[in-house]
Amino acid sequence: DQIRIESAPVKVIGKTHPEAKVTINNQSVEVDMAGNFSQELSLTESINIITITSTAKSGQTAKEIRTIFLKI
């Protein structure tokens, strides 16, 4: 998916299984007891790729990739 925005930073918000491990752009993100997570990201002007990965205890992974165009 591609998104265009005109201001930064951006807050990434999502939900996963409460025991899953989540990373956003290879940085660990805390998951609460309900499975919610959020992380504020700084963006650079032009193209930004955000990769969100959730890994279950079983090792199964889910990945979402978003492309954000920042026009200042």
Side-chain angles (χ1 to χ4, degrees), residues 13-51:
I13 300 170
K15 187 169 181 92
T16 188
H17 190 277
E19 295 181 358
K21 304 291 184 197
V22 172
T23 62
I24 299 176
N25 292 347
N26 295 318
Q27 298 292 320
S28 293
V29 176
E30 186 175 332
V31 178
D32 70 17
M33 294 181 75
N36 300 303
F37 63 89
S38 66
Q39 181 70 38
E40 191 169 277
L41 299 176
S42 298
L43 302 176
T44 59
E45 189 171 2
S46 190
I47 299 172
N48 297 268
I49 307 291
I50 299 175
T51 303

